[in-house]
Amino acid sequence: MAKQKNVFLCRECGFDSPKWLGRCPNCNQWNTMVEEIVMVAAPLSTQAGSGEKPKLIREFSDSDDLRQSTGIGEFDRVLGGGIVAGSLILVGGDPGIGKSTLLLSVAAQFSRHYGNVLYVSGEESAAQTGMRARRTGAVEDKMWVLAETNLEMILAQALKMQPAMMVIDSIQTLFYPGVPGATGSVSQVRESTGRLLRFAKESNVPVLIIGHVTKDGSIAGPRLLEHMVDTVLYFEGEKNYAFRVLRPIKNRFGSITESGIFSMERQGLVEVKNPSEFLLAERGEQASGSVITACIEGIRPLLIEIQALVSTTCFGLPRRTAAGLDTNRLTLLLAVLEKRQGMMLGNQDVYVNAVGGFRLSEPAADLAVVMAVASSFKDRAVSSSLLAIGEVGLTGEIRKVPRVVQRVREAASLGFSKIIVPWGNLAELKKETIKVELIGVKNLSQAMEVGLK
Ligand SMILES: Nc1ncnc2c1ncn2[C@@H]1O[C@H](COP(=O)(O)OP(=O)(O)O)[C@@H](O)[C@H]1O
Ligand SMILES: [Mg+2]
Ligand SMILES: [Zn+2]
């Protein structure tokens, strides 16, 4: 017989400890330990003989790894070519970012080709989910919705229906009767995922789980489940922009280099086939403070406009505001500008924005950030046919970036004719035939000379 006991569990990573701790020793987060009641597993019973038997490895063939296409190219791409039968996939993201919208259309497309799909909604009523499906064109003959939060009931329905796929929206709304802890608690979320895992493996049905990233920490977050599931995808974006990226964090059946790009429209999520064009669509007339750069998202090059606004501080401390990039990185780049270019920014407010809601995570965008700031400070526009790529070092040197050929090709295909690149990347670029004017620079001064004459 299983016994109950009290333990302290980390809401972020699930670490357990017999006593309360201010900081979780496993994930180093503060104030994440909560007290919960858990079951202590009963000793191994006399079930020996039942269950799975060992199988010979050589009896498996390639056809055992058949992937099922979801019908949504960007989603398949992220998974590594489609869904593997019996896999458990976690889709995490901030509330309101579009997880339900995404999985509703994945479910609808999937049901077209493979039959019944069960969409379990613990957050919204069946009617609400139905309305959303109507709005986003996800109404299909074999789409079923179940508004239920009791996992025992859900699994009973799923066993009866034998769907081709099941979606759980969201894991934090489920509870498993008999397991201690409130809905959304660490033990409930973990136990529910464990049951879903077993269902997926035993019935060979792919199960997609939505998990909200939680800021206030009142419920357990999806990070807790990352090691339990086969695949972890995060859906990201800035709320005020339509641009969304689906990024793989873990994938037992493929690489984690491909990401999917979508646009959140009124009628639902739309796949973005040419993200650079999409991101540059609203570019205005040539004005000071705007420079384009080429970033790599997953394995794809993307052109991004960096905008900067520099204006004299009216009172108090100068402000440094960055949207779409790290504020610390911006501060560092401004210090390099001051020290190496003699640009006095100490009494200036600086705002920098990566347009379109894309998050810059690569130092390859440094040069464009620095040039945009300098352009605004001097009120001198940078040519709209110019693009800048390069990492800025502390001494003002421009350092090599990876995958430069891909970046330059993308820039050329969108009509940029003059491209500033790190000197160190010139050799590999010379081997290619790309019809653009390449300007290799060794340091900031040379880049400024070219871009802001
Ligand atoms: N009736 C509606 N009309 C237009 N847009 C809507 C409607 N309902 C929701 N949305 C959009 O969908 C977004 C929520 O997406 P959703 O898939 O529910 O996010 P999540 O499941 O990640 O919380 C909202 O930010 C909103 O922009
Ligand atoms: Mg939702
Ligand atoms: Zn932890």
Side-chain angles (χ1 to χ4, degrees):
M1 201 23 218
K3 278 201 316 240
Q4 296 192 351
K5 69 167 183 176
N6 283 42
V7 292
F8 290 88
L9 294 172
C10 171
R11 270 188 319 248
E12 288 298 317
C13 70
F15 178 84
D16 62 276
S17 152
K19 60 181 198 311
W20 186 83
L21 299 166
R23 184 184 200 179
C24 169
N26 188 44
C27 67
N28 294 328
Q29 304 253 30
W30 288 93
N31 291 324
T32 56
M33 304 294 289
V34 286
E35 185 171 18
E36 287 191 11
I37 306 163
V38 295
M39 292 288 203
V40 183
L44 218 56
S45 69
T46 50
Q47 287 181 344
S50 63
E52 279 280 302
K53 299 205 168 42
K55 294 188 183 85
L56 274 172
I57 287 268
R58 65 175 158 80
E59 281 170 12
F60 296 93
S61 69
D62 279 350
S63 60
D64 290 316
D65 178 35
L66 270 191
R67 285 172 191 266
Q68 296 172 305
S69 164
T70 61
I72 296 181
E74 292 291 298
F75 197 78
D76 287 349
R77 167 205 280 274
V78 175
L79 291 174
I83 291 195
V84 173
S87 60
L88 188 63
I89 300 167
L90 173 68
V91 178
D94 289 332
I97 209 70
K99 301 180 295 298
S100 302
T101 311
L102 175 68
L103 290 197
L104 199 59
S105 43
V106 166
Q109 288 293 325
F110 197 83
S111 74
R112 270 195 191 185
H113 303 284
Y114 302 106
N116 291 335
V117 170
L118 183 58
Y119 190 99
V120 180
S121 178
E123 306 221 317
E124 296 173 346
S125 68
Q128 273 173 315
T129 304
M131 265 155 57
R132 187 202 295 269
R134 212 161 286 285
R135 176 169 63 85
T136 58
V139 179
E140 295 292 338
D141 291 344
K142 293 181 174 167
M143 270 283 281
W144 301 83
V145 57
L146 174 65
E148 175 66 77
T149 55
N150 180 338
L151 186 57
E152 215 165 32
M153 303 291 182
I154 295 168
L155 290 176
Q157 291 293 339
L159 286 171
K160 204 154 50 173
M161 176 185 282
Q162 297 287 337
M165 171 193 274
M166 179 157 78
V167 178
I168 300 291
D169 186 2
S170 65
I171 190 71
Q172 288 125 332
T173 59
L174 299 193
F175 74 97
Y176 199 86
V179 172
T183 301
S185 66
V186 176
S187 7
Q188 278 289 355
V189 165
R190 210 157 42 181
E191 184 66 24
S192 299
T193 307
R195 305 275 166 160
L196 288 166
L197 179 69
R198 222 159 78 193
F199 169 77
K201 301 300 165 198
E202 283 171 4
S203 60
N204 221 19
V205 171
V207 177
L208 280 65
I209 297 177
I210 290 177
H212 291 299
V213 170
T214 57
K215 293 269 151 62
D216 64 347
S218 54
I219 48 175
R223 293 221 30 227
L224 183 72
L225 310 177
E226 287 180 0
H227 65 280
M228 297 178 75
V229 302
D230 297 311
T231 303
V232 180
L233 311 174
Y234 273 89
F235 203 38
E236 295 168 0
E238 300 279 329
K239 281 256 175 65
N240 303 324
Y241 290 101
F243 190 77
R244 297 283 182 277
V245 182
L246 184 67
R247 239 176 237 132
I249 304 298
K250 162 183 172 180
N251 192 358
R252 280 195 186 133
F253 309 114
S255 78
I256 50 163
T257 50
E258 293 264 19
S259 46
I261 296 175
F262 298 88
S263 166
M264 187 72 170
E265 308 288 341
R266 213 186 55 81
Q267 74 277 17
L269 283 161
V270 180
E271 295 179 64
V272 176
K273 294 292 182 207
N274 192 333
S276 296
E277 223 162 66
F278 178 86
L279 285 167
L280 295 182
E282 285 178 75
R283 190 150 69 112
E285 285 300 299
Q286 192 166 328
S288 68
S290 158
V291 178
I292 316 291
T293 191
C295 293
I296 300 282
E297 170 56 54
I299 59 165
R300 273 185 292 187
L302 269 187
L303 304 191
I304 317 278
E305 177 182 2
I306 312 286
Q307 290 185 346
L309 182 67
V310 179
S311 66
T312 309
T313 309
C314 284
F315 55 89
L317 283 174
R319 297 178 59 120
R320 271 88 179 89
T321 309
L325 70 150
D326 182 34
T327 314
N328 290 331
R329 190 76 195 167
L330 175 62
T331 311
L332 181 148
L333 293 173
L334 295 181
V336 175
L337 258 181
E338 288 218 21
K339 185 86 176 171
R340 307 294 166 196
Q341 293 297 115
M343 213 169 276
M344 302 313 291
L345 297 166
N347 60 345
Q348 302 287 324
D349 291 338
V350 179
Y351 306 89
V352 176
N353 182 13
V355 179
F358 182 80
R359 266 206 81 79
L360 303 173
S361 52
E362 289 185 292
D366 287 352
L367 183 57
V369 171
V370 169
M371 286 178 65
V373 170
S375 161
S376 176
F377 181 74
K378 296 183 173 176
D379 200 18
R380 228 177 288 161
V382 171
S383 159
S384 61
S385 58
L386 182 136
L387 186 136
I389 303 166
E391 174 179 350
V392 175
L394 291 184
T395 67
E397 84 275 20
I398 306 295
R399 308 172 69 99
K400 266 171 75 166
V401 301
R403 297 173 192 260
V404 73
V405 174
Q406 257 183 299
R407 297 179 206 254
V408 169
R409 276 196 195 288
E410 178 78 358
S413 76
L414 274 117
F416 290 87
S417 56
K418 198 168 170 180
I419 302 171
I420 302 184
V421 293
W423 177 266
N425 281 123
L426 268 185
E428 55 182 308
L429 282 164
K430 290 260 165 69
K431 289 185 216 146
E432 310 285 324
T433 45
I434 311 170
K435 273 212 194 126
V436 283
E437 182 189 349
L438 291 171
I439 304 151
V441 294
K442 285 181 176 163
N443 53 47
L444 257 187
S445 306
Q446 288 178 0
M448 296 293 177
E449 186 71 17
V450 178
L452 288 164
K453 270 199 289 276

